[in-house]
Amino acid sequence: MARPRPPEFDKKKVVAENRRARFEYFLEEFFEAGIALTGTEVKSLRFGEGSIAEAYADVKDGQASLINANIPEFSHGNRFNHEPKRARKLLLHEREIEKIHKGLSREGMTLIPMSVYFNSRGRAKVELALAKGKKLHDKRETMKDRDWKRDQQRLMRDRG
């Protein structure tokens, strides 16, 4: 039996997506968090710049933060421009932070950002997933399933 799909968040404009994460990890639980940003960071994101490919999130002292996310400096910014790879505070409820902290304390679990987007109200949000890393044989199985589904679609299209 397949796992039930998690509810989708209200994504208006997706800025950055971590597409590789679905291949590298088993995704277990999803969270939506706000990000504490400076003005030039918001402007860079609105221009569609930013990368979360090598980013991860961590919980320390009851605070969640996004680490290693790259939001390049704003092109028209002045001396008050931001640092591109600084740690950014994530805005979550205490209950969610506790839930994430308990999840991260389990063996092999990590918190990865799946996408950065603006919601319908224009707020910058990040979709986080509590995930467990895949072993090499799991990745091979994923590739095999993906190839088979592609072949299935091709067969169905050709037949009729």
Side-chain angles (χ1 to χ4, degrees):
M1 189 164 112
R3 281 189 187 154
R5 300 282 295 158
E8 286 292 317
F9 298 114
D10 182 25
K11 297 182 183 181
K12 192 79 165 175
K13 178 187 175 193
V14 177
V15 177
E17 209 169 8
N18 191 352
R19 296 182 62 205
R20 187 103 180 128
R22 293 193 189 280
F23 178 72
E24 297 281 339
Y25 298 95
F26 290 116
L27 306 176
E28 301 210 353
E29 197 167 355
F30 290 84
F31 300 93
E32 181 183 42
I35 320 170
L37 299 172
T38 64
T40 54
E41 287 173 328
V42 175
K43 289 179 182 181
S44 280
L45 284 177
R46 288 209 189 275
F47 274 107
E49 299 173 352
S51 170
I52 55 170
E54 61 274 347
Y56 64 97
D58 195 19
V59 175
K60 282 186 185 161
D61 303 326
Q63 296 280 329
S65 58
L66 183 64
I67 300 166
N68 214 19
N70 184 24
I71 300 174
E73 290 184 342
F74 183 54
S75 59
H76 301 330
N78 54 15
R79 65 178 185 255
F80 300 114
N81 227 333
H82 65 277
E83 187 180 324
K85 286 204 170 195
R86 74 175 182 91
R88 292 163 179 91
K89 184 179 174 185
L90 294 175
L91 309 172
L92 290 158
H93 292 284
E94 274 186 49
R95 207 175 282 145
E96 290 175 320
I97 291 174
E98 281 298 317
K99 198 172 192 180
I100 290 170
H101 187 65
K102 285 178 184 172
L104 289 175
S105 64
R106 296 194 321 238
E107 185 68 26
M109 298 299 281
T110 185
L111 188 63
I112 53 170
M114 296 300 294
S115 63
V116 175
Y117 58 93
F118 288 98
N119 67 2
S120 58
R121 294 178 59 195
R123 306 271 193 232
K125 301 283 184 179
V126 62
E127 179 183 17
L128 301 169
L130 201 56
K132 186 174 178 80
K134 286 184 182 179
K135 304 277 191 249
L136 184 61
H137 59 88
D138 295 324
K139 292 179 187 178
R140 285 190 193 126
E141 189 71 30
T142 302
M143 287 191 310
K144 197 180 341 179
D145 289 343
R146 186 177 57 209
D147 291 343
W148 169 239
K149 284 183 181 169
R150 189 179 306 126
D151 290 343
Q152 256 183 336
Q153 291 294 326
R154 193 174 296 128
L155 289 170
M156 292 298 286
R157 186 186 64 221
D158 292 344
R159 287 202 172 168

